[in-house]
Amino acid sequence: MHPENSRRAAPVTDAYSLEVSAKDMAALTAAAPQIVPGSTISIPYLANQDNAARLAAAQAVRGLGLEPMPHLSARRMTSLAELESFVQCAVAEAGVRQCFVIAGDPSTPAGPFPDSASLIETGVFERSGIQVLGVAGHPEGHPAMGMSDGWDVLQSKCRSIEQRGMRPLIVTQFAFDADAVLAWLQTLRERGVHHPVRIGVPGPAGVAVLARYAALCGVGACASVWSKYGVSIGKLFGTAGPDRLVDRLAAGLTEAHGRVSLHFFPFGGIAQSVSWIAQYRTRAA
């Protein structure tokens, strides 16, 4: 890491969040002593986990002195009553103050909600006491809509959240190309969207594992992007960490990019990601 990058890296690594599923609470508990107290733990909405498991995970996160942020998948939500019940229980039983809304993978909704905007419009979140509502950002473009439509939808959701008395938060899909992320951030701010952004970063993992997740999530990973990330396309058996990506983000971010922090996807395991973050923060201090 270059010295000039280290000086700039501290702000972007001072606050971070982690994506941890309900089944990984034991691993999170083991790693918790290394995690900055109060850090946000984002709990994804996975099809093979029920609401009871998600609620228990939020309670476990709160018990560790961390901030739970459960995801709500619009197309997997069967009814308004289910949405209300989960959000109200999360607030009452786990002290949840922030949620993250997504459309979800199914092409056909299981209930009345076709997209994340329809969840926001129910009014359930502000009535239940949610203070921060997260929405997804896509630096490489939305998989289901054009770039122009994607910007319009993102801005519309942020306005709706603000009008309902909550604070919008934008959390992006993970990426390997820092230059693409920086360009997206610049456009976001030029369009007048100044809400906090958490940039998705893959935690250290096997290169083959990273490639598999990239394919599943529609993330660009051509040879030139892999090279920027520090991976040789001919060597898929090693491991790779996000050092170059985070260095480049830290070096490229300016005040004009607004409030930006990192959101880690621990594809190689929670312990590995948390250890990497702690070491990087020490070097950057």
Side-chain angles (χ1 to χ4, degrees):
M1 184 190 312
H2 300 297
E4 63 271 20
N5 287 4
S6 298
R7 291 194 296 272
R8 296 179 186 182
V12 80
T13 54
D14 273 351
Y16 63 87
S17 52
L18 287 161
E19 189 109 346
V20 180
S21 75
K23 68 179 177 62
D24 292 323
M25 286 300 118
L28 179 67
T29 300
Q34 279 193 287
I35 301 174
V36 174
S39 294
T40 294
I41 304 300
S42 189
I43 305 167
Y45 195 110
L46 302 180
N48 60 354
Q49 296 166 0
D50 60 18
N51 286 334
R54 297 180 194 105
L55 181 58
Q59 292 171 316
V61 169
R62 176 61 68 200
L64 292 170
L66 304 170
E67 190 72 29
M69 184 171 75
H71 293 201
L72 283 302
S73 174
R75 293 176 193 154
R76 294 190 187 279
M77 198 65 56
T78 60
S79 66
L80 177 61
E82 182 189 1
L83 174 66
E84 287 181 320
S85 175
F86 179 81
V87 175
Q88 289 170 3
C89 287
V91 171
E93 299 176 22
V96 167
R97 294 185 283 254
Q98 50 186 327
C99 291
F100 183 75
V101 292
I102 57 171
D105 294 330
S107 56
T108 302
F113 306 115
D115 51 33
S116 55
S118 62
L119 291 180
I120 297 168
E121 291 163 4
T122 62
V124 165
F125 296 100
E126 66 267 30
R127 288 198 303 269
S128 301
I130 296 299
Q131 300 168 16
V132 175
L133 202 55
V135 293
H138 297 87
E140 296 183 337
H142 193 285
M145 66 181 76
M147 187 65 80
S148 179
D149 288 342
W151 284 120
D152 290 343
V153 168
L154 177 59
Q155 289 180 263
S156 176
K157 286 189 285 192
C158 288
R159 281 194 301 269
S160 181
I161 292 167
E162 273 196 304
Q163 289 165 359
R164 294 173 180 279
M166 297 176 290
R167 300 192 301 276
L169 170 68
I170 301 168
V171 184
T172 78
Q173 178 61 277
F174 70 91
F176 299 109
D177 187 347
D179 293 325
V181 172
L182 290 167
W184 179 87
L185 273 171
Q186 180 177 339
T187 302
L188 180 77
R189 302 317 189 192
E190 288 172 350
R191 293 180 70 97
V193 181
H194 299 291
H195 307 300
V197 174
R198 290 183 185 152
I199 298 298
V201 173
V207 176
V209 171
L210 294 174
R212 184 171 74 249
Y213 276 106
L216 285 171
C217 300
V219 173
C222 62
S224 62
V225 170
W226 279 127
S227 178
K228 284 185 182 181
Y229 194 71
V231 171
S232 169
I233 195 64
K235 297 180 180 179
L236 294 181
F237 298 103
T239 61
D243 300 72
R244 288 194 185 185
L245 173 68
V246 176
D247 279 353
R248 177 71 187 96
L249 288 172
L253 287 169
T254 68
E255 289 186 5
H257 290 106
R259 292 175 56 192
V260 178
S261 56
L262 303 180
H263 178 69
F264 287 88
F265 293 83
F267 298 133
I270 295 166
Q272 293 90 324
S273 286
V274 169
S275 179
W276 184 94
I277 295 166
Q279 292 172 12
Y280 193 96
R281 282 167 52 83
T282 298
R283 296 198 307 267

